[in-house]
Amino acid sequence: LEEEEVLQVWWRMGLVDTDDARGTVRSDKLPRRSAYVKSNMEDVSATGDAMDVVMHGPAPLPLNEPPVDNPMEGSYSWVIKDWSKISNTKQRSETFTIGGHNWRLLIFPKGNSCEFLSIYLDVADVNLQPYGWSRYAHFSLTVMSHTDEHKYSVKKDTSHTFEGRESDWGFTQFLGLADLSDPAKGFISNEDTMIIDCEVQVRIDQAPYHYDSRKETGYIGLKNQGATCYMNSLLQTLFHIPYFRRAVYHMPTTESDPPDLSIPLALQSLFYKVQFADNAVATKDLTRSFGWDAYDSFMQHDVQELNRVLCEKLEEKMKSTTVEGTIQKLFEGHMVNYINCLDVEYKSTRKEAYLDLQLDVKGCKDVYASFDKYVEVEKLDGDNKYRAEGHGLQDAEKGVKFMDFPAVLQLQLKRFEYDFQRDTMVKINDRYEFPESLDLDAGDGKYLSPDADRSVRNKYLLHSVLVHSGGVNGGHYYAYIRPELQGQWFKFDDERVTREEASKALNDQYGGDDDGPNNGGYNPAVAPGLKLPKYSNAYMLVYVRETDTDQIMCDATEQDIASHLVTRLKKEQEEKERKKKEKAEAHLYIVVKLATAEDSVKQIGSDIFFDLVDHEKCKPIQVVKQTPFVEFKRRVATELGVPVWRQRYWLWAKRQNQTFRPNRLLQPEEESQTMAQIRENTTKTPAASSDLKLFLEVVSEEEAAAFAEANPRAGAGAGAVPMQQGHDDFPARAVSGGLVVQVQQQQQQHMMTVALQPPPLPKNHILLFFKLYNPRAETLQYVGHLLMDQGSRMSDNKEAMLRLAAATGGLRAGEDIALYEEIKYEPQIYCEKVEWRNPLKSGLQLGDGDIICIQPIIPQSEIHKGTVRFGIVPEFLEYIRNRQRVIFRELANPREDKLSLDLSKSMTYDAVTAKLAEALGLSDSTTLRLSAHNCYSHAPKLPSLAYRAVDTLTDMLDRFNSTSDILYYEVLDMPLPELERLKTLKIMFHGRDTKHVETFNVRMPNESCVADVLADLKGRLGEKLTPGADLRLLELFYSKIYKVFPDTEKIEGIDDQYWTLRAEEVKPEEDGDLPGQGKHSTTNAVVVGSPPEEGDGMGGGVGGGGEWSRSEKLIHVYHFYREGATTNANRTSRQSGGADNNNDNNDRNQAVQNFGDPFLLRVGADEPLSAVKRRIQAWGTGPCLH
């Protein structure tokens, strides 16, 4: 900017003392690089969630002030038509230009994982930006109201430094979807149109500031792989427990351990980098060691489950080492579940361990209220009495007390629960307070068992707060951590670490309603009294016991790390720095992909079969852009040992038929240019990162000598370049005939002038490449290239081609040859036979870069005998193009490769099964049934492929836009076509006591009915069946009866893949038709667990569901437990049933899980519930009921 413009801007910002724009500059108010101002706006990237934005550098100019005439600011209005018809999850505007930069708006019409309209400003041409680019802008976004622009329009503004990793910025929760669709507010017009206005001010910053977490805070973050923010927050918490970190460092690992297969080594590597690296660290090695793939990294997992699995894995690896018992020492506490009878001397107790505690949030004010609820005593009386051994049913008290608390206390807050009324999981955003100092000895030790060690002081300091921002279906995790257990809090949000005030970690994470000034962006005048719930709140708390602080918060230094790990990681860092430097300097260099005859010899017949080379496998040569081409030739001479005067270079070109061939010779005048000029002048669309592809033709010594003899003065003209003797690394060579044109001796050095240009291409000659196909060995190899006169016939060059072929040993003595031109291979093979008598140019249309395949002529007798499969090149190339290596696995053992076969993609179903049957030694291929591979679950895709249901092998391998090379097979006991005309049902037979006896596979014709199936079962059961007993067939799912099949139902529609089928004897008391019901009718349900209350509405579950009547009814009974906590095996929290699995009537909001075998029971309408309970207990299939 001009000086006057700069002073005007400073005056508006209060940086000059007088009203005169040329007044004195106040140096004390000049912006400094290290200063930053926190913005209270909800600014986020489209790929992230709500976060506090740190603005660096000068504050932006307010948009409502009179603007200075500045081309760096402007506005854009996006009119979105047919709003209700938008089905995409995200929508982008057209590109608009402000401040010389291209922008566009990005919206999520249905919200970015939330119930809000999400709007962002996006850099439109991010892929075209140079390395390290950035731009700083202040912008506002407004959703216009068609009803009242001033009253209802919603406007938000923010500032951001746009760069490669944060190329979009805006507001995830811009406007609630409910308000967006409110007709009274008019955001969507009657014409189904919405308008978004955007105003942008681009600020010029000569040295844009990039936030550096390490420099600003002393800590660094972890990179998010897609949906791993929950893992990042947990790992940061564990890392900042130094005792845990030291234990990880001391776990035994070896130098040969691959980090992506060893959890200890991956975690050691991660912790080391987080402690000593300068930038955010990737977690891919760690997730790979978990066995996760990229798909898992984009799926959010549960923090508690991840913590438990990680600790169990580490605990297992720590056994028999110096750090054995670390997990228990840090995180393990103990509790005792008790039931105490009130009227007799009987007490039942059970001690169990836990690694963390689940605390209720709903109905609790704070952590202390949750602990009060945890140890709350439950009365067991009335119908819910406790059956004490030797004393019968007794009144009792049931509860939990803590034997001890761990040094590091992990509290999982139950923010998610199942809502029975809405039949879905919901998030509890209620206000829930947690103290910075937690005293669990409060109330005279009311949380402790009488047997607890009271000498231990259970007072804790808050170490970290893990936060979940969002709803039940998705959101974002981050952590507030106090690494020193006092003073400064830090926010660890994936890659970004910032200093935060204590209120951010405490008060702001209590949850409840949003009382802030923004209140979610709602205008109080529009919705007076409206408060929105905070969607960001604490999810997990970590406390450290005060008395253990010195031990837990110890020093973890580089001396604690194994030397081999330090060496490995330092090498990785050096390699990373080298690549970073190369990337930063890439714009100074050109990468030359130089293909040689040696590359074709290595690749053709093994890596590739079509064209000449795969340039990605050619050795890249990096040269400075301004390097003269003659210097490049000297380098090639040094590295490849090819003298400069024998180097002839060809440019590659992509033809219309999609083949890539050497196209034309690089001319002498072009060789006088720099490498950058050559690339720019020879590439149609040169890009900054595009490679220069060249083919090096090595001129034969014979051709060079012949040229020198015919042109004794060659090279004495302008093409001769002086060159210092010994400059080339290859030995000096005495060449006669003018190649060395001048030798001149001066005072202290010897100079010689060498003709750097190779012999020119003979006039009217073309460069052809040759491959040799051996039909007997089924091999294809590169044999060389020839320069041929384009006016000659192919027969004129036969001797030269025979010499090429014979040199490889691929021809028998006296064997004649045939020629084929390789023209193209996509979308199909086109390989044409070459006639000997036709001229190369006018008859065969051959040119530079064409490929000729030579092959011996195979007698028909060999082909008929079957010793030669592909007698000519086109057949072999067709086979190669369609060749597919297929791995076959047994369906019964889907993890182990059984065999592999080379097949053709065009093979029919019958051909594939025939090849497999031959490999397995089967005489009938129709007894094979194949199953496709699921690329996402890495398991067989069921149901299996029907007989001839697919046409080709390609159809078998390509399933739902994914391609695999795996098929599963099973050998049947009958031909598959016959089996498909039958219905196979897997039926579990249960005896009269409902216990599982045997599993049967019943095959019946599709038109059979249930009665036929039961009759077949009776015959197969024999003596196992009670004489004269009837059978019935039931349909079960998750231990609950859903249907009793009538005898007349056709079996064709019965599904035994999703449902479980069970056949059982009909009990004598159930014989005969019930009044008002059929023989197999059922109604209502009794659950074994806590008895249903009156009006509970649990009836109508199976096969009927009428109201209770005076008649008898057949009801079904099933077992269940409520998801109150995990089991003792998980060691994470209390069991829902206390000491003897008694049920808590207050846990009705917890999810119900069925288990065991359900059964049917005949009851009378006048039979009391207590009698039904006794009959169920007498049945012996369920737990005791109280």
Side-chain angles (χ1 to χ4, degrees):
L1 295 175
E2 296 295 333
E3 178 185 2
E4 182 176 352
E5 293 177 308
V6 173
L7 289 174
Q8 286 178 351
V9 172
W10 284 359
W11 171 70
R12 293 179 59 208
M13 296 173 63
L15 301 180
V16 292
D17 279 331
T18 69
D19 290 340
D20 183 358
R22 296 186 178 275
T24 303
V25 176
R26 296 165 57 184
S27 60
D28 62 314
K29 297 190 69 176
L30 286 176
R32 298 185 179 272
R33 300 288 301 147
S34 60
Y36 62 87
V37 180
K38 293 180 182 177
S39 168
N40 59 6
M41 302 302 295
E42 180 224 352
D43 304 341
V44 298
S45 169
T47 56
D49 285 271
M51 63 182 73
D52 291 321
V53 169
V54 181
M55 289 175 11
H56 303 278
L61 301 180
L63 290 178
N64 55 0
E65 291 189 11
V68 177
D69 185 16
N70 188 354
M72 306 301 287
E73 62 184 52
S75 62
Y76 169 74
S77 184
W78 184 14
V79 180
I80 308 174
K81 297 181 179 180
D82 299 324
W83 173 262
S84 61
K85 297 180 181 179
I86 296 177
S87 58
N88 299 331
T89 56
K90 54 185 176 183
Q91 194 90 356
R92 289 182 171 88
S93 71
E94 62 183 2
T95 300
F96 56 93
T97 302
I98 296 177
H101 302 294
N102 293 325
W103 308 89
R104 60 186 175 185
L105 295 180
L106 168 64
I107 64 170
F108 288 74
K110 305 300 181 184
N112 187 4
S113 300
C114 62
E115 297 296 318
F116 289 80
L117 172 68
S118 306
I119 311 179
Y120 309 89
L121 179 63
D122 182 27
V123 176
D125 51 0
V126 63
N127 294 328
L128 301 179
Q129 301 301 318
Y131 178 78
W133 70 276
S134 69
R135 68 183 68 154
Y136 179 74
H138 182 81
F139 63 95
S140 69
L141 300 169
T142 307
V143 176
M144 304 299 296
S145 169
H146 295 80
T147 304
D148 189 327
E149 179 177 335
H150 300 287
K151 183 177 181 180
Y152 292 118
S153 293
V154 177
K155 179 178 181 178
K156 296 185 180 183
D157 63 285
T158 184
S159 301
H160 181 60
T161 298
F162 294 84
E163 55 182 353
R165 289 184 293 182
E166 290 183 348
S167 60
D168 58 65
W169 201 256
F171 304 89
T172 297
Q173 299 180 6
F174 189 92
L175 177 63
L177 296 180
D179 290 287
L180 179 65
S181 58
D182 187 349
K185 297 179 181 177
F187 294 115
I188 302 172
S189 70
N190 295 332
E191 291 76 24
D192 202 19
T193 299
M194 190 175 77
I195 300 176
I196 301 177
D197 282 352
C198 174
E199 297 179 3
V200 181
Q201 287 184 341
V202 180
R203 293 188 59 83
I204 298 178
D205 192 350
Q206 298 298 334
Y209 181 79
H210 297 281
Y211 186 79
D212 188 319
S213 293
R214 177 69 80 187
K215 290 181 179 179
E216 296 289 344
T217 66
Y219 303 100
I220 60 172
L222 298 172
K223 295 181 180 178
N224 194 327
Q225 296 184 45
T228 56
C229 51
Y230 70 98
M231 181 182 70
N232 291 349
S233 58
L234 175 64
L235 291 174
Q236 289 283 15
T237 300
L238 295 174
F239 171 83
H240 286 95
I241 301 175
Y243 190 93
F244 179 84
R245 193 193 325 158
R246 284 186 63 185
V248 170
Y249 286 157
H250 283 277
M251 293 178 67
T253 55
T254 64
E255 189 174 356
S256 59
D257 291 345
D260 58 347
L261 297 178
S262 169
I263 292 180
L265 183 58
L267 196 58
Q268 286 176 346
S269 174
L270 180 72
F271 278 6
Y272 177 86
K273 292 175 183 177
V274 172
Q275 188 167 353
F276 296 105
D278 293 327
N279 300 305
V281 179
T283 58
K284 286 186 178 180
D285 279 347
L286 182 63
T287 54
R288 288 194 191 105
S289 71
F290 294 163
W292 294 1
D293 54 18
Y295 179 76
D296 293 305
S297 297
F298 281 88
M299 296 290 291
Q300 276 198 356
H301 299 255
D302 182 69
V303 173
Q304 182 188 13
E305 180 69 11
L306 175 65
N307 190 23
R308 183 183 65 82
V309 171
L310 182 60
C311 288
E312 284 183 355
K313 292 288 186 183
L314 294 177
E315 182 181 356
E316 180 182 342
K317 297 293 183 181
M318 288 177 178
K319 288 181 179 178
S320 303
T321 70
T322 57
V323 290
E324 182 177 6
T326 297
I327 301 299
Q328 292 88 338
K329 183 175 181 178
L330 284 175
F331 305 115
E332 186 174 276
H334 299 88
M335 66 176 69
V336 58
N337 296 274
Y338 67 87
I339 294 181
N340 188 23
C341 292
L342 300 178
D343 300 323
V344 297
E345 290 293 328
Y346 184 88
K347 186 174 184 179
S348 172
T349 61
R350 185 182 71 254
K351 183 180 178 180
E352 65 175 284
Y354 62 88
L355 292 180
D356 57 20
L357 294 173
Q358 288 191 8
L359 299 184
D360 285 331
V361 171
K362 191 171 186 179
C364 297
K365 174 187 176 183
D366 55 19
V367 172
Y368 291 110
S370 295
F371 270 98
D372 290 341
K373 186 174 182 181
Y374 207 99
V375 300
E376 189 176 38
V377 176
E378 176 191 354
K379 298 288 186 181
L380 303 179
D381 53 16
D383 289 338
N384 198 31
K385 288 186 178 183
Y386 174 68
R387 183 180 294 276
E389 185 177 355
H391 299 282
L393 295 176
Q394 296 290 328
D395 291 340
E397 292 180 341
K398 183 185 75 168
V400 174
K401 290 288 185 180
F402 291 96
M403 294 290 294
D404 56 62
F405 293 104
V408 179
L409 180 63
Q410 300 181 107
L411 303 179
Q412 301 282 346
L413 306 184
K414 293 163 68 174
R415 286 284 182 185
F416 299 94
E417 70 174 27
Y418 187 79
D419 188 325
F420 280 89
Q421 292 184 343
R422 298 168 60 184
D423 191 25
T424 185
M425 292 295 293
V426 295
K427 183 180 179 185
I428 308 300
N429 291 304
D430 298 352
R431 182 176 177 84
Y432 182 87
E433 299 177 5
F434 46 90
E436 198 167 356
S437 177
L438 177 66
D439 188 357
L440 293 180
D441 290 332
D444 196 21
K446 60 181 177 180
Y447 306 127
L448 296 173
S449 166
D451 300 328
D453 183 1
R454 302 281 174 145
S455 65
V456 178
R457 185 71 173 96
N458 294 303
K459 189 174 182 180
Y460 289 83
L461 296 175
L462 184 60
H463 173 265
S464 52
V465 180
L466 275 67
V467 178
H468 177 265
S469 175
V472 69
N473 295 318
H476 183 57
Y477 291 87
Y478 48 91
Y480 291 94
I481 301 176
R482 192 167 48 163
E484 304 298 330
L485 274 182
Q486 57 185 353
Q488 184 65 55
W489 283 89
F490 296 89
K491 180 181 179 183
F492 292 81
D493 191 349
D494 288 336
E495 300 181 22
R496 193 181 187 94
V497 184
T498 55
R499 298 176 183 271
E500 300 293 345
E501 298 174 358
S503 60
K504 288 283 187 179
L506 299 171
N507 304 53
D508 288 1
Q509 308 311 323
Y510 289 163
D513 294 332
D514 192 345
D515 296 323
N518 294 322
N519 193 21
Y522 282 86
N523 187 343
V526 178
L530 176 63
K531 291 186 178 181
L532 297 176
K534 290 182 180 178
Y535 290 95
S536 297
N537 36 54
Y539 179 77
M540 177 179 171
L541 306 174
V542 178
Y543 285 89
V544 176
R545 188 158 47 203
E546 278 189 4
T547 54
D548 296 311
T549 299
D550 292 340
Q551 185 179 14
I552 301 301
M553 309 306 289
C554 58
D555 292 330
T557 65
E558 193 168 351
Q559 284 67 39
D560 294 305
I561 308 171
S563 59
H564 75 84
L565 181 63
V566 175
T567 302
R568 171 190 287 189
L569 296 178
K570 285 185 176 179
K571 287 182 179 179
E572 288 181 4
Q573 185 62 28
E574 290 172 0
E575 180 65 15
K576 183 178 179 180
E577 293 296 328
R578 184 188 65 80
K579 290 182 178 180
K580 183 179 179 181
K581 181 180 178 182
E582 286 183 356
K583 188 175 182 180
E585 298 177 351
H587 65 286
L588 302 175
Y589 294 89
I590 284 178
V591 175
V592 180
K593 295 293 183 65
L594 183 63
T596 65
E598 286 71 20
D599 292 315
S600 296
V601 170
K602 291 178 182 177
Q603 295 183 25
I604 293 175
S606 56
D607 299 331
I608 64 171
F609 289 86
F610 305 101
D611 271 345
L612 293 172
V613 292
D614 179 358
H615 284 89
E616 295 304 315
K617 297 179 181 178
C618 295
K619 180 182 178 181
I621 302 177
Q622 189 179 53
V623 294
V624 178
K625 287 182 178 180
Q626 301 308 315
T627 301
F629 190 74
V630 291
E631 288 296 328
F632 171 75
K633 295 175 71 172
R634 292 191 182 103
R635 179 174 172 181
V636 171
T638 301
E639 295 184 6
L640 302 184
V642 180
V644 174
W645 49 272
R646 293 182 59 191
Q647 300 175 21
R648 196 150 54 198
Y649 290 90
W650 294 75
L651 295 167
W652 293 79
K654 189 172 185 178
R655 300 179 175 183
Q656 290 185 351
N657 62 10
Q658 304 305 307
T659 58
F660 203 56
R661 308 284 178 81
N663 182 55
R664 70 172 182 85
L665 189 67
L666 199 63
Q667 298 302 311
E669 58 271 17
E670 293 176 308
E671 293 193 9
S672 65
Q673 299 174 347
T674 64
M675 302 299 293
Q677 289 172 328
I678 291 176
R679 184 184 66 176
E680 184 176 353
N681 296 333
T682 58
T683 307
K684 289 184 178 180
T685 56
S689 60
S690 62
D691 301 332
L692 175 61
K693 296 181 176 64
L694 297 173
F695 172 73
L696 171 60
E697 177 199 357
V698 180
V699 178
S700 65
E701 293 188 6
E702 293 79 4
E703 181 185 348
F707 175 74
E709 185 177 350
N711 303 272
R713 295 183 57 84
V721 179
M723 177 176 165
Q724 185 175 351
Q725 187 174 9
H727 180 82
D728 285 313
D729 291 339
F730 55 90
R733 175 192 305 267
V735 182
S736 62
L739 287 180
V740 178
V741 298
Q742 182 180 5
V743 177
Q744 181 180 5
Q745 184 175 3
Q746 297 183 353
Q747 289 184 350
Q748 292 186 348
Q749 67 177 7
H750 296 282
M751 299 291 295
M752 71 175 183
T753 302
V754 180
L756 298 181
Q757 296 296 339
L761 193 68
K763 188 176 181 180
N764 297 326
H765 278 59
I766 57 176
L767 180 66
L768 297 180
F769 296 88
F770 293 88
K771 300 177 183 179
L772 176 64
Y773 169 57
N774 186 338
R776 298 182 181 91
E778 293 185 5
T779 59
L780 186 70
Q781 60 188 123
Y782 177 79
V783 292
H785 60 268
L786 293 173
L787 288 172
M788 293 184 178
D789 189 335
Q790 61 185 6
S792 65
R793 300 176 186 276
M794 191 61 78
S795 57
D796 299 334
N797 303 281
K798 188 172 183 178
E799 289 302 320
M801 289 183 283
L802 284 171
R803 285 195 299 271
L804 283 179
T808 63
L811 287 179
R812 295 178 179 178
E815 199 166 32
D816 200 6
I817 60 173
L819 305 179
Y820 291 85
E821 182 190 359
E822 179 187 318
I823 299 175
K824 67 174 184 176
Y825 52 90
E826 292 292 349
Q828 59 186 10
I829 295 295
Y830 189 21
C831 192
E832 191 176 61
K833 189 172 183 179
V834 175
E835 297 295 337
W836 289 101
R837 64 179 183 275
N838 289 339
L840 272 62
K841 180 71 173 178
S842 59
L844 300 175
Q845 304 296 314
L846 295 177
D848 290 322
D850 285 336
I851 301 174
I852 302 297
C853 295
I854 307 171
Q855 72 157 84
I857 299 176
I858 301 299
Q860 287 296 318
S861 58
E862 291 189 46
I863 298 176
H864 293 323
K865 289 179 182 178
T867 56
V868 174
R869 291 196 301 168
F870 311 108
I872 57 176
V873 175
E875 293 177 353
F876 175 73
L877 293 178
E878 186 70 36
Y879 161 72
I880 291 296
R881 182 178 179 275
N882 291 299
R883 183 173 60 178
Q884 174 70 55
R885 172 65 60 91
V886 181
I887 299 171
F888 287 93
R889 298 174 179 174
E890 290 182 292
L891 190 63
N893 189 12
R895 295 290 181 183
E896 183 179 340
D897 297 346
K898 185 68 175 179
L899 74 159
S900 59
L901 298 174
D902 282 333
L903 305 176
S904 173
K905 295 178 183 177
S906 58
M907 272 187 171
T908 63
Y909 175 91
D910 290 343
V912 172
T913 54
K915 282 288 184 182
L916 179 59
E918 180 183 350
L920 295 174
L922 302 176
S923 58
D924 186 1
S925 63
T926 61
T927 59
L928 288 170
R929 179 160 61 183
L930 303 178
S931 299
H933 178 72
N934 189 320
C935 295
Y936 299 105
S937 64
H938 303 289
K941 186 182 185 306
L942 299 176
S944 300
L945 297 174
Y947 181 67
R948 294 179 177 173
V950 294
D951 295 328
T952 65
L953 177 63
T954 298
D955 299 326
M956 299 180 192
L957 300 177
D958 295 347
R959 310 291 289 179
F960 305 108
N961 299 322
S962 59
T963 301
S964 170
D965 60 352
I966 299 173
L967 286 176
Y968 303 87
Y969 72 91
E970 54 184 323
V971 181
L972 307 173
D973 56 1
M974 66 170 60
L976 180 58
E978 294 182 21
L979 180 64
E980 289 181 346
R981 289 193 289 270
L982 303 176
K983 179 73 173 181
T984 301
L985 298 177
K986 182 179 179 181
I987 301 175
M988 295 187 299
F989 171 71
H990 287 231
R992 180 160 291 183
D993 60 356
T994 78
K995 293 181 179 178
H996 176 250
V997 176
E998 193 172 352
T999 300
F1000 294 92
N1001 287 313
V1002 179
R1003 289 177 182 166
M1004 306 288 290
N1006 288 329
E1007 58 274 11
S1008 304
C1009 57
V1010 171
D1012 300 322
V1013 173
L1014 297 177
D1016 182 80
L1017 274 178
K1018 283 185 179 181
R1020 295 165 71 173
L1021 286 168
E1023 296 180 355
K1024 297 177 183 177
L1025 189 65
T1026 304
D1030 262 343
L1031 294 178
R1032 63 181 165 219
L1033 186 66
L1034 294 81
E1035 185 177 71
L1036 282 70
F1037 185 71
Y1038 276 104
S1039 300
K1040 187 175 180 180
I1041 300 172
Y1042 278 81
K1043 184 176 183 180
V1044 180
F1045 289 99
D1047 291 344
T1048 57
E1049 181 165 341
K1050 299 290 184 183
I1051 67 172
E1052 186 175 9
I1054 297 178
D1055 181 11
D1056 65 343
Q1057 299 291 328
Y1058 183 75
W1059 306 91
T1060 299
L1061 301 180
R1062 188 176 89 189
E1064 64 180 22
E1065 291 186 21
V1066 179
K1067 305 173 188 64
E1069 66 269 18
E1070 297 171 15
D1071 256 347
D1073 292 347
L1074 295 174
Q1077 303 178 63
K1079 184 173 184 178
H1080 298 299
S1081 298
T1082 62
T1083 184
N1084 295 78
V1086 169
V1087 292
V1088 179
S1090 57
E1093 300 175 358
E1094 291 187 14
D1096 199 23
M1098 298 189 68
V1102 179
E1107 297 295 327
W1108 281 92
S1109 65
R1110 303 299 298 173
S1111 61
E1112 293 180 309
K1113 294 188 180 295
L1114 192 63
I1115 64 173
H1116 72 269
V1117 185
Y1118 62 91
H1119 315 285
F1120 79 97
Y1121 68 90
R1122 298 188 185 276
E1123 274 194 336
T1126 55
T1127 63
N1128 182 43
N1130 291 340
R1131 300 184 301 144
T1132 54
S1133 63
R1134 61 178 289 196
Q1135 292 189 351
S1136 62
D1140 285 299
N1141 266 348
N1142 287 288
N1143 296 279
D1144 186 354
N1145 290 329
N1146 295 323
D1147 288 342
R1148 293 197 172 275
N1149 284 331
Q1150 297 165 351
V1152 170
Q1153 296 291 333
N1154 301 325
F1155 70 96
D1157 291 322
F1159 57 93
L1160 298 174
L1161 188 69
R1162 187 170 186 170
V1163 298
D1166 297 329
E1167 187 176 7
L1169 180 59
S1170 58
V1172 175
K1173 284 186 178 180
R1174 285 194 296 272
R1175 286 211 289 138
I1176 292 175
Q1177 290 172 340
W1179 200 254
T1181 60
C1184 294
L1185 304 180
H1186 309 290

